[in-house]
């Protein structure tokens, strides 16, 4: 059985501005910058849960759009983690992706 870690807002909030790398289907590594970590309040399990909901916003390069799915991201401090990313917008600076932990 594979054990998975439950991530908390405090795992990511100090890492805003740092780089993550994701391996895309084209077998090349794309850099993603963590640009925001935001608390969303209580999770869907209700008031008795000790887990808080939060979201992460990443920015990637404009030359490749990653479709919505689970990706393996690598970070120098956190190691390898699987995160469901959703593309949420694009501007001159890059493509933005959101991950929500609930």
């Amino acid at each position: 059985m594979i054990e998975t870690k439950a991530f908390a807002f405090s795992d990511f909030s100090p890492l805003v501005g740092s780089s993550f790398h994701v391996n895309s289907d084209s077998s090349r590594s794309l850099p993603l910058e963590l640009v925001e970590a935001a608390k969303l309040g209580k999770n869907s399990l209700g008031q008795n849960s000790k887990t808080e909901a939060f979201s992460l916003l990443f920015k990637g390069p404009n030359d490749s759009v990653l479709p919505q799915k689970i990706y393996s991201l690598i970070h120098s401090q956190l190691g390898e983690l699987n995160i469901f990313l959703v593309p949420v917008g694009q501007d001159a600076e890059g493509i933005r992706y959101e991950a929500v932990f609930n």
Side-chain angles (χ1 to χ4, degrees):
M1 179 176 198
I2 297 174
E3 186 175 326
T4 59
K5 179 185 183 328
F7 289 104
F9 176 76
S10 60
D11 293 323
F12 294 97
S13 59
L15 302 177
V16 170
S18 68
S19 293
F20 289 73
H21 290 276
V22 61
N23 291 323
S24 69
D25 290 337
S26 63
S27 74
R28 76 172 221 212
S29 178
L30 292 175
L32 295 179
E33 177 189 355
L34 180 59
V35 294
E36 180 182 286
K39 290 184 180 181
L40 301 176
K42 297 289 181 189
N43 72 13
S44 62
L45 298 176
Q47 297 289 344
N48 295 329
S49 175
K50 294 180 182 181
T51 306
E52 62 187 347
F54 63 97
S55 69
L56 304 175
L57 191 63
F58 295 91
K59 178 178 65 177
N62 265 324
D63 60 354
S64 309
V65 178
L66 298 172
Q68 171 178 304
K69 71 176 201 173
I70 297 173
Y71 289 94
S72 177
L73 276 69
I74 300 170
H75 186 268
S76 60
Q77 288 178 272
L78 295 177
E80 187 172 352
L81 49 149
N82 293 323
I83 296 181
F84 187 76
L85 295 177
V86 177
V88 293
Q90 182 174 14
D91 59 24
E93 294 180 8
I95 299 170
R96 305 225 178 227
Y97 301 93
E98 185 177 40
V100 176
F101 295 79
N102 189 8

